[in-house]
Amino acid sequence: MSEGTATTTDLDVRLEKHRVELTGYCYRMLGSSFEAEDAVQDTMVRAWRSYDKFEGRSSIRSWLYRIATNVCLDMLNAGNRRARPMDLTGPSPLAQAALTPRPDNTWLEPVPDARVLPTISDPAEAAVAKESVRLAFMAALQQLPPKQRAVLILREVLAWKASEVAELLGTTVASVNSALQRARATLAEREGGAGAVCDPLDEEQQKLLERYVAAFEGYDMTALTALLHEDAIMTMPPFDLWLRGPGDITGFMTTLGASCAGSRLLPVSVNGLPGFAHYKPDPEKGGFGAWAIQALEISDGRITGFHCFLDTERWFPLFGLPLQLEAEAH
């Protein structure tokens, strides 16, 4: 009995140490933080149940990736491709701005860095891992057929050999190389506007964020305009509306978004990008109520993307954040 218990505990530990990297893999495959966690849980359960059949012909890590890949491919059979608002419609002129929600499963979801990025000692590897969960890259990944997606992630992000990927997918090296070429071509066409965020943030980017917080909390549209790139984009899932350019963005913030004046921003790490938990004044309860998780894309000293995920009941607990702040909290 005690020996069995020890073995069980040992297996738990051996499986558990792969959880964060597997969650990152499943997140890149599925585009959903919650579905990724479900997929990893399913992977762990399947590994548990079939461990007695695992004969050590490969490492536990590659065996877990094989199970996780199959779980993700099964989940993707439904054909849903998660997207950003600008992947679905054109920008709305401010005069026609309307807040029309779409179902949750439409949208590419945000994720806290800590849930999908394992601690990596090599700075170059860590940078690749971060870049590969950024929103623009994730949106481009979602355009790939599921098996091409798996090949690209395993080869380009996780640096697996073609022979290892072929074995995992039960196919040939030639097939893997062909899928990788097609995936790279699709990404080259689609990926853009990812921004150039340093890791860690350089001094200029840090100052830009400080100026952004001051402008947003002060609701100073002149100061905010100076920080936004002329082609800056603002999105607000679950609404399909998106806006382009400082004029429409600040115009929205002073009309439909006027209740955000006097807000508070707390820093968060989201999708390998700088971000903030946005709390706006709560006239009913006092203090500040959770409003959005913001992810910012930066390029050439300006903010190019300003993405606000509004489903606070889901996102704030995921990021370990309270739904309410006291008046003096900052």
Side-chain angles (χ1 to χ4, degrees):
M1 177 81 180
S2 60
E3 186 183 332
T5 307
T7 308
T8 297
T9 307
D10 177 53
L11 178 57
D12 274 343
V13 170
R14 291 172 75 193
L15 296 178
E16 200 58 36
K17 73 177 186 180
H18 298 287
R19 182 177 290 274
V20 174
E21 65 168 310
L22 285 171
T23 305
Y25 176 62
C26 294
Y27 174 67
R28 294 177 187 100
M29 285 291 289
L30 301 169
S32 161
S33 30
F34 292 109
E35 284 183 2
E37 296 203 343
D38 289 347
V40 172
Q41 201 50 42
D42 192 1
T43 298
M44 296 297 190
V45 169
R46 291 188 193 191
W48 239 101
R49 286 182 181 153
S50 58
Y51 186 70
D52 56 341
K53 296 178 194 145
F54 171 62
E55 294 159 0
R57 286 175 296 190
S58 62
S59 69
I60 273 203
R61 180 174 181 253
S62 58
W63 179 59
L64 285 171
Y65 269 96
R66 176 176 297 167
I67 298 170
T69 301
N70 288 332
V71 169
C72 289
L73 292 175
D74 286 348
M75 290 172 79
L76 288 165
N77 273 341
N80 180 48
R81 292 181 176 186
R82 289 176 177 268
R84 302 169 300 172
M86 60 274 206
D87 300 322
L88 302 178
T89 63
S92 299
L94 181 59
Q96 294 166 24
L99 297 175
T100 310
R102 294 204 191 191
D104 287 342
N105 66 0
T106 307
W107 305 117
L108 182 59
E109 294 181 350
V111 73
D113 286 3
R115 287 185 181 246
V116 291
L117 296 174
T119 305
I120 299 172
S121 53
D122 182 323
E125 279 182 42
V128 167
K130 254 193 173 180
E131 283 165 19
S132 69
V133 293
R134 289 188 181 150
L135 295 170
F137 184 81
M138 286 291 301
L141 271 183
Q142 303 307 301
Q143 300 304 314
L144 299 175
K147 282 208 171 163
Q148 277 186 35
R149 206 180 301 177
V151 167
L152 185 105
I153 298 165
L154 291 164
R155 292 282 286 118
E156 303 272 282
V157 178
L158 300 173
W160 284 40
K161 294 175 183 159
S163 56
E164 294 170 328
V165 178
E167 187 182 347
L168 182 143
L169 292 173
T171 186
T172 63
V173 168
S175 173
V176 165
N177 288 338
S178 170
L180 181 60
Q181 272 187 318
R182 293 198 303 276
R184 280 175 176 159
T186 303
L187 254 61
E189 285 170 25
R190 295 218 33 118
E191 204 197 344
V197 185
C198 297
D199 179 32
L201 295 177
D202 64 27
E203 191 178 352
E204 184 190 350
Q205 291 174 344
Q206 198 63 56
K207 284 182 177 166
L208 175 67
L209 291 181
E210 287 166 12
R211 287 163 64 205
Y212 169 75
V213 170
F216 195 98
E217 291 189 341
Y219 232 56
D220 181 340
M221 294 303 135
T222 304
L224 190 59
T225 297
L227 306 179
L228 295 173
H229 189 277
E230 61 184 15
D231 289 325
I233 282 170
M234 179 182 185
T235 67
M236 292 162 280
F239 301 115
D240 58 13
L241 169 76
W242 64 281
L243 302 162
R244 173 178 274 148
D248 278 1
I249 291 172
T250 57
F252 178 87
M253 289 173 68
T254 53
T255 54
L256 290 176
S259 63
C260 291
S263 289
R264 292 286 174 265
L265 298 181
L266 301 181
V268 293
S269 296
V270 50
N271 286 83
L273 295 164
F276 296 94
H278 172 192
Y279 291 85
K280 74 174 187 175
D282 187 335
E284 289 180 18
K285 296 181 183 172
F288 301 88
W291 184 246
I293 294 291
Q294 300 180 359
L296 301 189
E297 292 167 329
I298 298 171
S299 189
D300 300 326
R302 295 285 170 91
I303 293 165
T304 54
F306 171 43
H307 305 290
C308 307
F309 296 91
L310 301 182
D311 192 349
T312 52
E313 298 284 336
R314 300 173 83 215
W315 305 132
F316 276 63
L318 185 72
F319 281 78
L321 293 163
L323 290 171
Q324 202 73 18
L325 286 184
E326 297 302 320
E328 69 276 9
H330 192 173

